[in-house]
Amino acid sequence: MSGVGYQVYSKSGNGAIRVVVSSAKEALAKANELAESGNEILIRDLAGRVLDMATIVELAACE
């Protein structure tokens, strides 16, 4: 899955933010940044598979 790109989502009330990044490290950094606001975070690869935080941490460590 490494290098395929990732979508990081943050939901807050009626609004949402979606950021597309090219690496697991960037996805992890953006997820951590968005999580500081206390909002729900969801990470998907560009194929649409939802990745849990442990998986994205592992992928980022391998990059």
Side-chain angles (χ1 to χ4, degrees), residues 3-62:
V4 298
Y6 302 91
Q7 300 175 52
V8 182
Y9 296 90
S10 175
K11 294 182 186 179
S12 175
N14 291 333
I17 296 173
R18 180 181 72 138
V19 180
V20 177
V21 296
S22 61
S23 73
K25 286 181 182 179
E26 290 175 306
L28 183 59
K30 184 52 75 174
N32 287 333
E33 177 185 329
L34 293 172
E36 289 178 3
S37 64
N39 298 332
E40 179 184 348
I41 303 297
L42 178 68
I43 301 173
R44 294 179 184 234
D45 65 15
L46 293 182
R49 293 179 292 250
V50 176
L51 304 172
D52 62 23
M53 194 56 73
T55 301
I56 203 71
V57 167
E58 184 178 322
L59 290 170
C62 294

